[in-house]
Amino acid sequence: MSGGEELREPQPASEEDAARAHCYALIGRLFYDAPDSILLAQLCRAEVAAGADGAPLAQAWQALRDACGTAYPVVLKQEYDTLLVGVGKSEVTPYTSHYLSKDIAPDRHLVQLRQQLEHLGLGRRTAASEVEDHVSGVCDVMRFLIEGARPLSEQRLFFKDFVYPGATGFCDAVKKATSASFYRHVAGFALAFLDVEREAFEMEDADA
């Protein structure tokens, strides 16, 4: 996990799964810290997302790439710190338990997440500074599941219980934040990708 577990597994066999894992890794990286000049250049050179040009994911990806082309690392670092770190309190908290429905206690959700991580064999490093429900952390777990070719049922369960509800609420909050500029595009891309994942998992459920 970014700042937590070490998640290194064999790469997935299919190109589709490799692309999914890459998206989770990118989202996790961007929400863990502001991008440096190397990452910005890589994103500017990256291929256009596959699929119809008018698809929400393709549009969101293009918007993010365009934003990278005019971004300055120092400015992005300031935006990131104001938005997600803050002095005393950030404008938006990156911990997904904060965005769950009121009938789900954040503490209980965090306990369940820790139990699931233990079940997956993902132990927390003693030097880790972030709580396990950091949005970057749960994205890294999804990457781990995909790269490790874990069963789709396992991926779907983790996505449904620990990724989608909190991460989408977090991204919505980022898009509404007054200090967000570049990160509105990051959140837009993350939301579009997570919706594609949700729809794919729902189709798997219907075919099962």
Side-chain angles (χ1 to χ4, degrees):
M1 208 178 336
S2 298
E5 288 76 15
E6 291 289 341
L7 307 181
R8 294 294 176 222
E9 289 287 321
Q11 293 296 310
S14 73
E15 291 185 5
E16 179 182 356
D17 279 347
R20 292 175 59 219
H22 178 75
C23 285
Y24 278 113
L26 176 61
I27 293 167
R29 166 63 183 83
L30 290 173
F31 282 131
Y32 187 68
D33 199 1
D36 56 20
S37 59
I38 295 174
L39 180 55
L40 289 172
Q42 291 173 338
L43 292 174
C44 288
R45 294 193 302 266
E47 295 180 1
V48 176
D53 291 341
L57 180 57
Q59 291 181 332
W61 174 241
Q62 185 62 57
L64 177 58
R65 290 175 71 239
D66 291 345
C68 289
T70 58
Y72 294 92
V74 174
V75 176
L76 295 189
K77 182 61 175 175
Q78 291 175 340
E79 178 182 336
Y80 179 89
D81 287 348
T82 301
L83 180 66
L84 297 172
V85 180
V87 178
K89 183 179 180 181
S90 61
E91 185 173 358
V92 177
T93 178
Y95 301 105
T96 56
S97 295
H98 178 79
Y99 302 97
L100 302 177
S101 61
K102 293 183 179 180
D103 58 340
I104 302 176
D107 290 347
R108 179 57 182 164
H109 178 80
L110 187 56
V111 169
Q112 293 173 339
L113 173 58
R114 288 170 174 164
Q115 290 173 339
Q116 184 61 24
L117 293 176
E118 183 178 358
H119 173 73
L120 295 171
L122 303 178
R124 178 182 174 86
R125 293 203 311 257
T126 55
S129 60
E130 295 292 358
V131 182
E132 291 88 341
D133 65 333
H134 192 288
V135 65
S136 296
V138 296
C139 284
D140 268 358
V141 175
M142 282 300 298
R143 176 181 61 81
F144 165 81
L145 295 175
I146 297 166
E147 290 182 349
R150 303 296 276 262
L152 277 177
S153 58
E154 196 169 56
Q155 297 179 32
R156 180 170 60 244
L157 181 63
F158 190 86
F159 178 85
K160 177 182 176 182
D161 290 347
F162 301 111
V163 180
Y164 189 79
T168 53
F170 162 75
C171 289
D172 284 336
V174 170
K175 291 186 71 174
K176 296 174 184 176
T178 57
S179 62
S181 178
F182 175 83
Y183 270 90
R184 281 198 180 94
H185 299 295
V186 178
F189 171 71
L191 282 170
F193 171 69
L194 292 173
D195 278 339
V196 169
E197 285 281 277
R198 175 185 55 79
E199 292 170 1
F201 283 133
E202 288 177 351
M203 290 178 63
E204 290 288 339
D205 278 337
D207 293 340

